[in-house]
Amino acid sequence: MTHKLILATESRYKIELLERLSLPFEAIAAQVDERRLEGESPAAMATRLADAKAKRLQQSHPDAFVLGADQVIALGDTIFQKPGNEERACEQLMQLQGRTHHLITAIALRPPAGAPLHAQVAFEMVMRPLTETQVRAYVHQDLPVHCAGSYRIEAAGIRLFEAARGDDFTAIIGLPLTRVWSLLEQAGYFEPS
């Protein structure tokens, strides 16, 4: 196998996840406008952004398989972005505490030839009722200011939840590896070049 694989990210979490598959790849940041389009559903937004990241890098790497991913946290129609600071993280968690929200992770694979492929994993996230003191202690410990929804479930954030319902837990961290492998197979990545 001599195909080049590029992961369109600078996220260390996504990089660490893809390393689990023992495939050679390069990670390159792909900057795209992450604002929600008017009337766009959370699921459509996740897929559009994953594809936009892959498409952006495919322009400069046309002979590579380019993988983009995006994650959207939604409570009803409200989307929670990366908070950027501790105060905003606390505000987001107080809105989510005691409620069930959806975490949608989308991936897009753009092969050198052929149509782009897409997949999506959705999780139903049931957060425990929390006090402001508990939320502030968590945020101070885990510093989830660069995480959509203001939690890191792969770290201390697991204690915020009663349940997480879905079928590929790596999607919660940011890259559903079962879907990544399937899309690579479908796109012919493992076939001799």
Side-chain angles (χ1 to χ4, degrees):
M1 163 181 40
T2 59
H3 298 301
K4 184 173 184 177
L5 176 61
I6 295 174
L7 178 61
T9 193
E10 60 187 351
S11 162
R12 68 179 174 97
Y13 306 111
K14 289 181 177 86
I15 292 168
E16 288 170 3
L17 283 170
L18 191 55
E19 286 172 345
R20 293 184 190 183
L21 297 182
S22 298
L23 299 172
F25 72 94
E26 182 179 358
I28 303 172
Q31 302 301 322
V32 299
D33 183 349
E34 295 193 1
R35 287 179 291 193
R36 186 180 191 181
L37 301 178
E38 187 175 336
E40 187 174 44
S41 72
M45 179 180 175
T47 296
R48 177 181 58 81
L49 292 175
D51 192 60
K53 292 172 184 178
K55 186 177 182 180
R56 165 84 34 115
L57 288 183
Q58 188 181 48
Q59 294 168 353
S60 55
H61 300 85
D63 296 327
F65 286 75
V66 183
L67 180 65
D70 199 78
Q71 198 170 57
V72 172
I73 306 289
L75 179 62
D77 198 44
T78 301
I79 290 179
F80 291 77
Q81 302 287 344
K82 297 172 186 172
N85 62 55
E86 288 185 46
E87 192 57 39
R88 183 69 187 123
C90 290
E91 291 171 9
Q92 285 189 2
L93 289 173
M94 288 306 294
Q95 288 178 280
L96 294 171
Q97 66 83 27
R99 302 175 82 178
T100 298
H101 66 272
H102 292 91
L103 183 151
I104 303 155
T105 305
I107 58 172
L109 179 66
R110 288 186 162 259
L117 301 171
H118 303 95
Q120 199 172 86
V121 175
F123 265 78
E124 186 178 75
M125 307 295 290
V126 183
M127 194 173 279
R128 299 178 187 286
L130 302 164
T131 66
E132 187 173 347
T133 300
Q134 290 171 314
V135 164
R136 289 193 179 283
Y138 164 71
V139 169
H140 182 71
Q141 178 186 0
D142 235 7
L143 295 174
V145 297
H146 301 295
C147 301
S150 303
Y151 56 82
R152 292 180 51 226
I153 201 162
E154 70 278 11
I158 189 66
R159 69 183 187 220
L160 305 176
F161 292 89
E162 290 179 4
R165 299 182 188 103
D167 65 3
D168 182 343
F169 72 94
T170 58
I172 296 173
I173 305 169
L175 194 64
L177 296 180
T178 58
R179 301 310 194 282
V180 168
W181 193 268
S182 294
L183 291 190
L184 288 169
E185 285 181 327
Q186 290 174 41
Y189 175 79
F190 299 106
E191 296 169 8
S193 59

